[in-house]
Amino acid sequence: MYPINDNIEKPLTQHIKNDGSWLTLKEYESTGGYQALKKALQMKPAEIIQVVLDSGLKGRGGAGFPTGKKWSTIDISENASSIKYLVANADEMEPGSFKDRFLLEGNPHQLIEGIIIGAYAIQASFSYIFLRWAYHLAGKALTQSIQEAYDAGYLGKNIGGSGFNLDMSLHISVGRYMCGEETALLNALEGKRSNPRAKPPYPSNSGLFGKPTIVNNVETLSNVPHIIMKGANWFMNLSKTGEGGTKLYGASGKVKSPGLWELPLGISLRELLEDYAGGMADGYRFKGVLPGGGSTDFLVEEHLDVAMDYASVAKAGSRLGTGTIIVLDDKTCPVGMVHNLERFFAQESCGWCTPCREGLPWTAKILYALETGAGKTEDLNILEFHTHYMAPGNTFCALAPGAMEPLQSALKYFKADFEMHIHQHKCPWNS
Amino acid sequence: MTEKVLTSGDISEIEKAYQHFPLRSAACIEGLKIIQKNHRWVSDDAVKELAELLEMSPAAIDSIATYYSLIFRKPVGRHVIMVCDSVSCWIMGYEGILNHLKNRLNIGYGETTQEDRFTLLSICCLGTCDHAPAIMINNDLHRDLTPDKLDAILETYK
Amino acid sequence: MMAKIFIDDKPYEVDGSKNLLETALSIGLNLPYFCWHPAMHSVGACRQCAIIKYKDDDDKKGKLVMACMEPVADNLHISIEAPEAHAFRAGNVEALMTNHPHDCPVCDEGGECHLQDMTVMTGHNERRYCYTKRTHNNQYLGPFVNHEMNRCIQCYRCVRFYKDYAGGKDLDVFAAHNDVYFGRQEEGVLESEFSGNLVEVCPTGVFTDKTLKKHYTRKWDLTNAPSVCHQCSLGCNIIASERYGTIRRVLSRFNGDVNGYFLCDRGRFGYEYINSKNRIITPARLVNGSFAAITAGDAVQEIKAIINTENNTIGIGSPKASMESNFLLRELVGPANFYAGVPAREGKLIRQVIAILDNGKVKTPSLSEAKTYDAVFILGEDLTNTAPMLALSLRQAAKNEPNEIARAVKIPDWNDAATREAVQGATGPFFIAAAHDTKLDDIATGIYHASPDQIAGFGNAVAGNINRQLNFVAADAEIEKLSDTISAALLAAKKPLIVAGTSLYNEAIVQAAANIAYALKDRGKDAGLIYILPEANSIGSALLADQYLEDAFAQASPKEAKSVIILENDLYQRMDKTATDTFLQYFTNVISLDYLENATTRNSTLLLPAGTFAEADGTIISNEGRAQRFYQVHVPKNDVRSSWKWLAELMAAYDSSPINLDAVIDRLTAAFPALQAIQYVAPSAGFREDTQKIPRSPQRYSGRTAINADMHVSEPRPPADPDSALSYTMEGYVGIPPPALTPFYWSPGWNSAQAINKYQIEVGGELHGGNPGKRLFEPDPNSKAAYFNSTPSACSPKEGQYMVLPLYHIFGSDELSAQSPAVAERVPQPYIALNDSDAGKAGIVEGAIIEILLSGNKKWLPVKLKMGLPQGTAGLPKGLQETAGIIYPFYTTIKIAGND
Ligand SMILES: Cc1cc2nc3c(=O)[nH]c(=O)nc-3n(C[C@H](O)[C@H](O)[C@H](O)COP(=O)(O)O)c2cc1C
Ligand code: SF4
Ligand code: FES
């Protein structure tokens, strides 16, 4: 489905070929690739951080934390740790999310350049790309591209004669949604179980192998070369809101044209759904949408004009998350959908903290009971309780609170559907 | 002396892997992947031999091997079919695909067909939701599936 | 740094360096927790300690946080009682219980279960979860620990203790989500010497005491006594418990200066010999080659008559027996006729250690204080086997220096996981010079394997580096390099610790250790020096006699000797068999006071049943020089009693008035004024709390109702206890008794051992009333103690011969615990250890049977190849039946069996 030809500026994706092959080093360079790195190496690390800060770039991994702010928590003074790490989070396992794959498979050098610039900004000497196992094509693209970058002198010792050294290594994970959580990812990289770590200390203070570390999402880092090349203002002006840049938006579910599009940050949900995803598939009506992956709250009809940026979606009671919407239609059971999600989250709990480890399976079992007609009125109270019990801060990491988002919003918007399951002793969609 | 599971090839691959890490034990996941790549699955003996190689205890290795969902601690067939059962595929009707597979192959999740041809497993969101439903067979992604397409695809895995 | 905080609007002055959970518990508030442990600190996993934290005075809503993960801050407002916090904690237990089997009635933990306590504390009492529970298979984990995984609440304490704290390798967590499993990779014996602590560390019934299971009793039906472990020289504090005349289990008794929360498996499970069928339970006389029981009265009369009619009775004491028993024997036979019950070589070595403790200038830290040192050098001891709990302490010490990495990035000490992640398994300066590999090698930063004399020489070389005036030089360049590294590390440390001991019977090692410590001290270092001794009261018994078994053997002659009284001592364990046979044959009367049949009792003419630590009161002195009291758990229904009681009865001076423990101690301290402190080790028998005695059984005791109903419906009168302020019933003072008299832990709402929080001034810290025990020796800052100019003796390998060294086994080298059935399963088969290259040259492979001359007899033993054992040395497991009576080191030749 990608790309649609419009006149929107698409720094991240404009050069990506649509034939299943990725841009080689030569091709990437011919589009202006690695010029940003050359420019960055002439700048002071602190200047780079300032530009990124000014650009308004927010983390594209889901939490939306300002990237420049994150980088500035790293101590780059003389007496700082001599070993620091930068890690690109390419674990993308959030249900309904498929944006990083596109960048990884289409333009690996853009990410690599972003990592090198980021690493230079925080004075890291080693970088990792943490890739989920299922992305085999991306694995091939990255392996080849890292080698090309080494051969071209963009990686290794004394990069571009700047005196800056950086190594890069690709780590292919062996499955667990938890690995995407940045501190759990560090444990996985250390060859351990991917239980999350307590914060504080933040990774920028004590991270991978105990050293200062920054973890950024693939899309976040892919933006960096463009920001350095064209400046903070340019980036800020790409978006339709006060949050800079474009965003990869996607849509799945019963829509006419599921797909992925790079669009100015802040286009409306309606535009996304109707202009890009082509509206609902024939015979289906819109019922609700998870705006940014499985761990975001449902938005419904009344929210269709909400701008898809971090602040606006939050104001509407959800999260922009990964920006890939999952559309719920009228012929799909909302309880069944939430059950599918909660079963996934229960399965992917690392087993470290009590609410997540015990609470999620219980939630999933209740939803299953509802789906199979064994639900009781009391169950809704327990579900309600679980949404508070597993609220942010109550659990060790954000997995379980994320899991509660679709549930709590479903209980808000689709309560009648839950009750129907109880009263009819069956799933009304499953007759 | 019982025969060793790990070949000298495995060992040199694993040894190369731990050069990338400040600690030998950090190569544990790499080691498990290498074993699985070369032997399809990770047996108890393989766990012990890897433990020796990385100067870890078998318990420490197995703690990790049993944690990650894509390390197989039981034998699998020549081809591993992984059916995405996450939300977008669910909406798009992955259950039809799954049932079709179960009926055709006459196995359920976690089982292997005769002659070790196929093992059927579920997998979380494959990150190709705009082409749901999707499955992976070995390293190959198959998308926009229908039962008919599936039959043709299975034929290509002998 | 102190801070002021407000808990539910009440102000408190608290320690500013702690987390809020510790703080709340220290104040005495009830706040439930699971994953936090006072010795292992916070990881924030269980989410049970939730409280509300307010931003400022105006914040009324607050935020739910985990108390164990939040630092104290000045002017902080928090609430434990807020309804949201209550609801969360109740909900959390409810979630934990979804997979718990609710099988309390059949669970060994029932009645002392932390999970039960916390469940009640949160108010959760209605089960809403109505689906199937996940179930697991259990594993066989060896003779000590039982496994019941279905009860697990996934607090991760077991693996945190076993792996992170104790360095174990074979217990781990497997799988993920609510399927996580805690156990071994496959069934099998838990390898750690500290596995028994899982029983206390696990908050529910997953890991329980398998020895208790054999004769199970609920905690509330046990009669308990505060006691001291008798199975090595460290003097760990224990609670021993009894019902219906048998000892049921041993738990750790908290002593912030000694063992803290933990025990080793020998100490915990080695009690079963007390219930052995081979116990001597009545006095007996040898008649026509076999023993016939006699009454206690007859026995006393008979022995009295023997002693009175002849003046040449000698007494042989014991390093296993109490001060009181050794002292009364000395009184009975007269100091000139009293011999310390150990070979001269061992006894002199112990006196040497005592002299250093007494006159030296360096502090001997307590077992617990040892954890605070930041550089360690061990000379000649295989600590995991000779002093297990010290090995555990030193494992913690090895973390001190690396933990500075975490402190530098402002991670508070209590943030355990974050500290470990920052430190990445690094261990501090930790050096071992030993005769072979040891179980602490995994944390060592430098290891030197050599013969005993070489170890001493090496130690002196290190001392010589530190104090250039000492005339010691390293033996060769390689050794010089290592000794340079060690001396530099010790000098760089804030608190360097030197550890040595008597296990290789080498005086030069003992002296070299002192030399290093003195040299550090002279360079202004706050150095520590610890010696490990062979037995529980080695120091105490050595203080009472300076004559040894050889002296006794030498003075005995067929003409003179008439009678010998042997106190709790199997001479055949210590001396050559033929010599011991000859010695005993000289006497008309061989009177043994002992607990278990052994070679010496079999060669005696009169037996008196002596009480083990469980049936006796007394005082012993640990390696630290700490005098500690142990109390009788119960009054046996037979003639078993404290040896000193038998001896008192035999003494004419006590004819008129029966004497009690206090009277013996009075006499002892009068005779040995330097031991005055023994009087203050514990309150005397006359002590009363609120006019009442301290009950040995908890208030919940229910066991007295029906057991004797077939004879009489009313209970027999409980026995009186003239020797202590403890009573044998549940009646008496309810509340926290003085620490030395604490027989069990209980506090309202806290039935599990975690009630200990209420007995401490600050959780994890000192007990209310001070940690029990009195140190007899303190360093004198002005001491002029001289360096030792020790020249290594003859203990070096000889051409063509093997020097045979003792190899210690936590299970096996202690003669009593080895007779406990569970421990017996872990005792190794006899073997001989050889260095691999020696074996290689001689064409000997692992498992080959070789012939060795032991005490003049040929023995055939299988070979074990032992890492690091220096060339020309061999090793024999010490203390097994087959290796009893060997005096180490000795020289011998070895050959492959059958190749003559
Ligand atoms: C359970 C869980 C899974 C996550 N998975 C991912 C992921 O797959 N990819 C990702 O970039 N961020 C993921 N995140 C967010 C990361 O923790 C982190 O915020 C992000 O990688 C930071 O990068 P950014 O600042 O560039 O967004 C996940 C978070 C949680 C709690
Ligand atoms: S076994 Fe016990 S200690 Fe270990 S996690 Fe389970 S409940 Fe905690
Ligand atoms: S005790 Fe605080 S989270 Fe477990």
Side-chain angles (χ1 to χ4, degrees):
Chain A
M1 269 305 116
Y2 184 87
I4 285 187
N5 246 337
D6 47 27
N7 291 322
I8 295 167
E9 203 174 345
K10 298 180 171 113
L12 291 178
T13 58
Q14 62 179 331
H15 301 297
I16 293 181
K17 301 178 279 180
N18 215 6
D19 62 359
S21 72
W22 59 87
L23 294 176
T24 61
L25 178 66
K26 268 220 177 69
E27 290 168 323
Y28 181 63
E29 282 176 332
S30 74
T31 68
Y34 288 108
Q35 291 307 314
L37 173 62
K38 287 178 187 142
K39 183 171 172 192
L41 291 173
Q42 305 296 316
M43 296 164 72
K44 291 211 175 66
E47 284 171 347
I48 298 175
I49 296 179
Q50 192 59 46
V51 173
V52 173
L53 203 58
D54 293 344
S55 76
L57 174 64
K58 285 188 165 179
R60 304 294 196 236
F65 192 81
T67 306
K69 209 163 148 191
K70 192 190 269 191
W71 290 3
S72 58
T73 57
I74 285 259
D75 181 0
I76 50 173
S77 66
E78 296 270 290
N79 43 16
S81 163
S82 61
I83 305 171
K84 296 190 211 73
Y85 296 99
L86 185 120
V87 182
N89 188 345
D91 195 51
E92 191 160 73
M93 280 178 78
E94 178 78 14
S97 302
F98 47 97
K99 64 183 188 73
D100 294 338
R101 179 200 277 270
F102 189 76
L103 296 175
L104 294 163
E105 291 178 353
N107 199 351
H109 278 293
Q110 176 173 266
L111 170 65
I112 292 170
E113 187 180 8
I115 295 174
I116 304 171
I117 297 171
Y120 174 70
I122 63 161
Q123 291 291 293
S125 55
F126 210 104
S127 56
Y128 286 96
I129 300 174
F130 188 96
L131 181 71
R132 69 174 292 193
W133 173 88
Y135 285 8
H136 287 287
L137 189 59
K140 273 194 204 151
L142 287 167
T143 308
Q144 187 182 326
S145 304
I146 291 171
Q147 192 54 52
E148 283 176 342
Y150 265 108
D151 295 343
Y154 296 128
L155 283 171
K157 294 260 171 306
N158 191 18
I159 297 169
S162 64
F164 174 62
N165 308 325
L166 181 70
D167 280 310
M168 186 179 290
S169 162
L170 174 69
H171 175 91
I172 296 171
S173 161
V174 271
R176 276 286 161 214
Y177 170 58
M178 261 316 289
C179 293
E181 199 283 337
E182 61 178 348
T183 59
L185 179 150
L186 300 180
N187 278 335
L189 259 183
E190 288 181 12
K192 299 175 181 153
R193 298 162 66 86
S194 64
N195 292 334
R197 297 177 174 184
K199 294 190 250 183
Y202 291 91
S204 56
N205 200 6
S206 174
L208 186 62
F209 299 108
K211 303 293 185 224
T213 305
I214 291 289
V215 181
N216 275 127
N217 171 259
V218 166
E219 186 184 348
T220 313
L221 288 164
S222 296
N223 271 306
V224 169
H226 305 290
I227 294 173
I228 295 303
M229 229 29 230
K230 303 198 180 133
N233 270 339
W234 164 83
F235 189 76
M236 191 51 99
N237 290 332
L238 284 178
S239 79
K240 293 192 164 185
T241 63
E243 297 162 350
T246 59
K247 175 84 194 75
L248 293 187
Y249 292 105
S252 66
K254 296 270 169 52
V255 293
K256 262 201 198 88
S257 321
L260 186 75
W261 311 275
E262 182 180 2
L263 300 168
L265 191 63
I267 66 149
S268 76
L269 179 54
R270 189 184 300 279
E271 273 176 278
L272 181 59
L273 183 64
E274 288 170 6
D275 299 353
Y276 293 92
M280 295 304 291
D282 294 339
Y284 294 90
R285 288 186 40 215
F286 176 84
K287 188 169 171 96
V289 63
L290 298 177
S295 55
T296 56
D297 287 87
F298 277 102
L299 295 179
V300 291
E301 195 93 39
E302 66 187 77
H303 301 117
L304 281 176
D305 292 311
V306 166
M308 288 287 281
D309 63 39
Y310 295 93
S312 311
V313 179
K315 221 168 123 209
S318 185
R319 287 190 308 119
L320 180 60
T322 56
T324 44
I325 66 172
I326 308 165
V327 179
L328 168 67
D329 59 87
D330 63 336
K331 296 203 168 123
T332 299
C333 172
V335 175
M337 176 166 168
V338 177
H339 170 246
N340 175 280
L341 287 164
E342 298 310 331
R343 203 202 36 148
F344 163 83
F345 289 120
Q347 192 70 27
E348 292 306 312
S349 165
C350 73
W352 175 245
C353 77
T354 308
C356 175
R357 183 189 59 241
E358 310 294 338
L360 290 178
W362 189 359
T363 304
K365 281 184 174 160
I366 293 173
L367 292 165
Y368 182 74
L370 290 169
E371 267 298 87
T372 51
K376 302 184 293 271
T377 313
E378 158 81 351
D379 289 343
L380 297 188
N381 298 334
I382 302 177
L383 290 176
E384 195 74 47
F385 172 77
H386 281 178
T387 63
H388 302 302
Y389 173 48
M390 285 176 262
N394 295 4
T395 57
F396 198 87
C397 82
L399 185 144
M404 288 301 100
E405 292 185 17
L407 174 64
Q408 71 199 14
S409 48
L411 285 169
K412 183 156 127 202
Y413 298 120
F414 313 127
K415 184 82 167 251
D417 296 325
F418 281 79
E419 283 164 349
M420 252 161 41
H421 282 78
I422 297 171
H423 298 141
Q424 298 181 14
H425 301 290
K426 66 176 177 89
C427 173
W429 279 268
N430 200 357
S431 35
Chain B
M1 274 280 192
T2 49
E3 220 171 290
K4 294 275 186 208
V5 179
L6 299 196
T7 63
S8 57
D10 298 334
I11 291 172
S12 65
E13 242 182 289
I14 295 166
E15 277 167 352
K16 220 162 83 208
Y18 63 63
Q19 327 268 281
H20 287 291
F21 295 99
L23 294 173
R24 199 177 257 225
S25 58
C28 158
I29 293 175
E30 287 306 310
L32 290 166
K33 277 194 313 207
I34 291 166
I35 294 171
Q36 184 159 304
K37 178 179 67 140
N38 299 343
H39 302 263
R40 277 198 243 157
W41 69 292
V42 180
S43 63
D44 286 355
D45 287 336
V47 165
K48 287 178 198 153
E49 291 170 33
L50 181 63
E52 211 165 297
L53 197 60
L54 298 183
E55 292 166 0
M56 294 169 74
S57 69
I61 299 267
D62 218 10
S63 171
I64 290 148
T66 55
Y67 175 86
Y68 287 102
S69 37
L70 291 168
I71 295 297
F72 306 142
R73 286 287 279 108
K74 284 188 189 146
V76 294
R78 290 194 300 287
H79 307 295
V80 180
I81 306 176
M82 285 173 277
V83 181
C84 174
D85 62 358
S86 288
V87 63
S88 302
C89 286
W90 179 82
I91 293 175
M92 300 309 284
Y94 93 88
E95 274 158 331
I97 302 295
L98 175 64
N99 288 334
H100 186 76
L101 276 169
K102 284 183 176 169
N103 291 336
R104 267 239 14 197
L105 303 176
N106 202 18
I107 51 172
Y109 273 149
E111 292 173 359
T112 300
T113 54
Q114 299 205 327
E115 279 114 42
D116 273 356
R117 183 164 165 215
F118 289 112
T119 298
L120 186 61
L121 296 172
S122 67
I123 191 165
C124 335
C125 179
L126 283 168
T128 187
C129 319
D130 49 344
H131 295 283
I135 65 170
M136 247 178 128
I137 304 182
N138 305 336
N139 294 347
D140 316 326
L141 190 58
H142 301 280
R143 327 192 285 179
D144 298 312
L145 285 177
T146 59
D148 297 345
K149 276 199 208 167
L150 196 54
D151 289 341
I153 291 168
L154 289 182
E155 279 318 301
T156 62
Y157 295 90
K158 287 297 167 195
Chain C
M1 182 205 53
M2 296 298 282
K4 187 174 192 178
I5 63 167
F6 297 82
I7 306 180
D8 291 307
D9 295 329
K10 264 178 80 178
Y12 298 93
E13 285 286 328
V14 300
D15 180 347
S17 68
K18 299 282 166 67
N19 63 62
L20 293 174
L21 173 60
E22 269 181 274
T23 303
L25 294 172
S26 291
I27 290 169
L29 301 171
N30 286 341
L31 182 57
Y33 60 86
F34 290 114
C35 65
W36 177 83
H37 184 283
M40 297 184 286
H41 309 294
S42 307
V43 291
C46 75
R47 315 308 274 181
Q48 195 56 61
C49 61
I51 56 168
I52 302 291
K53 176 179 158 185
Y54 302 95
K55 267 210 294 292
D56 48 44
D57 290 4
D58 300 331
D59 182 4
K60 295 284 169 265
K61 193 160 165 285
K63 188 171 162 272
L64 191 98
V65 296
M66 298 309 135
C68 71
M69 297 299 280
E70 290 287 323
V72 165
D74 207 23
N75 211 25
L76 181 70
H77 288 253
I78 58 171
S79 170
I80 294 176
E81 299 302 337
E84 312 87 88
H86 263 291
F88 181 87
R89 296 193 300 256
N92 202 56
V93 160
E94 182 179 20
L96 278 178
M97 300 299 282
T98 56
N99 286 311
H100 186 83
H102 299 262
D103 61 342
C104 307
V106 298
C107 174
D108 284 6
E109 197 81 357
E112 55 180 321
C113 176
H114 185 59
L115 176 59
Q116 281 181 330
D117 289 350
M118 299 299 102
T119 304
V120 173
M121 192 177 288
T122 62
H124 159 68
N125 54 17
E126 189 194 336
R127 197 190 319 176
R128 293 186 294 175
Y129 179 83
C130 56
Y131 309 100
T132 46
K133 293 170 184 276
R134 62 104 181 84
T135 50
H136 289 298
N137 292 326
N138 302 318
Q139 290 180 326
Y140 166 79
L141 297 177
F144 297 151
V145 178
N146 195 69
H147 192 222
E148 176 52 70
M149 244 318 279
N150 290 326
R151 297 182 185 133
C152 178
I153 57 159
Q154 292 89 16
C155 69
Y156 288 81
R157 269 183 171 191
C158 52
V159 286
R160 289 179 58 222
F161 171 77
Y162 198 94
K163 288 174 67 182
D164 303 338
Y165 193 90
K169 309 255 186 279
D170 62 324
L171 182 92
D172 223 312
V173 49
F174 303 95
H177 53 88
N178 70 341
D179 230 18
V180 286
Y181 185 92
F182 298 84
R184 280 178 46 91
Q185 203 249 341
E186 53 193 18
E187 284 202 318
V189 178
L190 285 173
E191 287 159 13
S192 168
E193 292 75 11
F194 307 98
S195 69
N197 294 301
L198 293 176
V199 171
E200 290 189 65
V201 155
C202 176
T204 175
V206 177
F207 298 108
T208 52
D209 182 337
K210 215 175 201 174
T211 67
L212 171 65
K213 203 172 207 53
K214 289 189 251 174
H215 41 219
Y216 184 70
T217 297
R218 291 268 179 232
K219 176 185 182 179
W220 64 68
D221 284 334
L222 289 167
T223 300
N224 317 278
S227 189
V228 178
C229 180
H230 276 51
Q231 282 152 9
C232 87
S233 68
L234 296 176
C236 294
N237 289 200
I238 58 173
I239 292 172
S241 307
E242 170 268 0
R243 194 175 193 206
Y244 298 151
T246 52
I247 300 301
R248 302 299 172 102
R249 72 151 171 218
V250 162
L251 286 183
S252 125
R253 178 165 64 102
F254 182 86
N255 184 330
D257 281 342
V258 186
N259 51 309
Y261 292 88
F262 304 124
L263 281 183
C264 80
D265 288 357
R266 181 199 277 181
R268 185 183 298 273
F269 301 112
Y271 72 89
E272 287 181 300
Y273 73 91
I274 297 170
N275 304 330
S276 163
K277 288 204 176 60
N278 298 331
R279 280 299 297 273
I280 298 165
I281 53 170
T282 68
R285 179 201 294 131
L286 188 69
V287 190
N288 299 332
S290 63
F291 285 102
I294 53 177
T295 67
D298 287 352
V300 168
Q301 284 318 315
E302 189 162 325
I303 299 171
K304 264 182 153 175
I306 293 169
I307 305 173
N308 289 342
T309 50
E310 39 145 315
N311 264 333
N312 44 2
T313 300
I314 67 164
I316 294 179
S318 168
K320 286 202 303 268
S322 66
M323 294 306 285
E324 290 80 357
S325 297
N326 275 297
F327 171 70
L328 278 199
L329 179 56
R330 182 180 184 272
E331 292 279 276
L332 179 67
V333 298
N337 292 327
F338 180 66
Y339 298 86
V342 295
R345 173 159 207 169
E346 178 180 327
K348 294 220 164 87
L349 208 47
I350 295 165
R351 302 273 298 191
Q352 170 75 83
V353 169
I354 293 173
I356 296 169
L357 294 182
D358 201 16
N359 310 321
K361 47 187 162 187
V362 177
K363 179 170 187 188
T364 289
S366 69
L367 182 54
S368 167
E369 200 186 343
K371 288 188 262 197
T372 65
Y373 286 76
D374 60 347
V376 177
F377 183 21
I378 302 167
L379 289 99
E381 287 292 309
D382 176 4
L383 290 179
T384 311
N385 288 307
T386 60
M389 283 294 289
L390 182 61
L392 191 62
S393 277
L394 296 187
R395 246 180 214 287
Q396 315 320 312
K399 296 171 185 163
N400 284 331
E401 199 252 12
N403 280 357
E404 291 298 331
I405 301 169
R407 289 183 195 125
V409 291
K410 305 220 162 48
I411 299 170
D413 286 355
W414 49 257
N415 194 339
D416 176 55
T419 298
R420 275 184 284 115
E421 281 143 8
V423 169
Q424 292 284 315
T427 52
F430 199 99
F431 303 98
I432 303 175
H436 50 80
D437 58 337
T438 72
K439 264 209 162 180
L440 286 175
D441 291 357
D442 62 330
I443 54 167
T445 45
I447 297 176
Y448 173 63
H449 287 158
S451 71
D453 278 341
Q454 286 167 328
I455 293 170
F458 179 68
N460 281 333
V462 172
N465 279 341
I466 297 167
N467 182 344
R468 293 287 175 195
Q469 279 158 2
L470 296 175
N471 226 350
F472 295 121
V473 284
D476 63 48
E478 200 184 321
I479 289 175
E480 190 176 331
K481 212 170 126 218
L482 184 56
S483 65
D484 285 348
T485 310
I486 296 177
S487 48
L490 296 175
L491 281 169
K494 291 195 202 92
K495 288 176 74 180
L497 177 65
I498 313 301
V499 180
T502 55
S503 71
L504 292 174
Y505 303 100
N506 188 298
E507 192 172 25
I509 292 180
V510 167
Q511 295 176 341
N515 284 341
I516 305 170
Y518 291 177
L520 287 165
K521 181 81 189 173
D522 286 347
R523 294 280 300 266
K525 287 277 140 190
D526 186 7
L529 175 61
I530 296 182
Y531 288 110
I532 299 309
L533 298 161
E535 280 162 89
N537 196 25
S538 284
I539 289 201
S541 58
L543 285 167
L544 301 181
D546 194 9
Q547 319 183 72
Y548 306 98
L549 290 176
E550 287 88 341
D551 302 320
F553 282 24
Q555 66 79 47
S557 79
K559 277 177 280 177
E560 272 186 65
K562 286 288 183 315
S563 306
V564 57
I565 303 180
I566 303 169
L567 175 64
E568 303 175 26
N569 202 339
D570 178 8
L571 304 184
Y572 288 89
Q573 286 287 334
R574 304 180 189 274
M575 298 293 279
D576 179 75
K577 180 173 184 305
T578 325
T580 313
D581 281 341
T582 315
F583 171 65
L584 291 179
Q585 274 159 17
Y586 289 151
F587 296 94
T588 330
N589 302 298
V590 177
I591 303 156
S592 266
L593 290 97
D594 221 329
Y595 345 105
L596 281 172
E597 275 180 42
N598 58 41
T600 302
T601 64
R602 279 190 288 275
N603 285 300
S604 299
T605 59
L606 268 160
L607 300 178
L608 291 178
T612 64
F613 71 86
E615 302 110 351
D617 301 301
T619 310
I620 52 176
I621 299 171
S622 74
N623 74 313
E624 177 200 351
R626 179 181 291 268
Q628 304 192 96
R629 190 97 74 238
F630 59 95
Y631 290 102
Q632 178 160 4
V633 185
H634 70 125
V635 180
K637 296 233 154 38
N638 45 42
D639 291 321
V640 171
R641 62 190 74 158
S642 299
S643 291
W644 61 260
K645 290 201 171 180
W646 285 115
L647 293 163
E649 288 188 51
L650 296 175
M651 288 175 70
Y654 295 131
D655 263 355
S656 45
S657 57
I659 88 157
N660 72 357
L661 185 68
D662 291 335
V664 181
I665 292 173
D666 285 347
R667 252 184 111 109
L668 167 74
T669 51
F672 291 89
L675 301 180
Q676 195 63 35
I678 290 180
Q679 278 196 312
Y680 309 108
V681 163
S684 62
F687 173 85
R688 293 295 177 271
E689 193 80 83
D690 228 0
T691 74
Q692 298 181 83
K693 285 199 131 192
I694 313 298
R696 278 181 170 86
S697 296
Q699 288 281 298
R700 303 178 293 156
Y701 188 82
S702 65
R704 64 163 65 167
T705 46
I707 184 67
N708 295 319
D710 56 335
M711 289 169 277
H712 205 286
V713 287
S714 69
E715 283 284 313
R717 225 181 122 85
D721 186 350
D723 301 305
S724 82
L726 295 158
S727 76
Y728 284 108
T729 66
M730 58 179 259
E731 279 81 22
Y733 177 68
V734 184
I736 296 183
L741 290 177
T742 300
F744 56 86
Y745 301 116
W746 185 83
S747 178
W750 297 79
N751 299 305
S752 82
Q754 312 266 333
I756 182 65
N757 293 338
K758 306 281 184 186
Y759 289 67
Q760 296 160 329
I761 298 168
E762 205 172 75
V763 290
E766 195 176 326
L767 291 164
H768 285 294
N771 291 323
K774 287 272 178 261
R775 281 166 63 94
L776 298 179
F777 313 109
E778 291 300 345
D780 171 4
N782 304 317
S783 159
K784 294 269 173 300
Y787 286 93
F788 296 96
N789 200 352
S790 39
T791 32
S793 57
C795 290
S796 289
K798 289 183 187 161
E799 199 47 44
Q801 288 203 314
Y802 284 89
M803 178 171 71
V804 184
L805 301 174
L807 298 177
Y808 291 81
H809 289 271
I810 178 172
F811 309 120
S813 296
D814 169 67
E815 131 204 19
L816 293 175
S817 60
Q819 296 188 62
S820 301
V823 170
E825 282 189 42
R826 304 284 308 273
V827 173
Q829 290 302 307
Y831 65 90
I832 178 156
L834 294 181
N835 156 295
D836 25 357
S837 94
D838 282 347
K841 268 185 246 153
I844 298 170
V845 294
E846 173 106 11
I849 306 292
I850 61 174
E851 187 185 293
I852 175 176
L853 214 56
L854 286 184
S855 312
N857 299 316
K858 280 187 190 170
K859 283 258 160 92
W860 291 271
L861 295 172
V863 171
K864 256 193 194 168
L865 299 182
K866 184 121 179 111
M867 289 279 294
L869 203 58
Q871 286 190 19
T873 58
L876 281 177
K878 183 170 161 44
L880 306 190
Q881 285 303 317
E882 296 77 359
T883 57
I886 295 174
I887 299 208
Y888 296 96
F890 69 96
Y891 293 88
T892 185
T893 51
I894 281 169
K895 61 180 181 180
I896 300 178
N899 288 9
D900 264 308

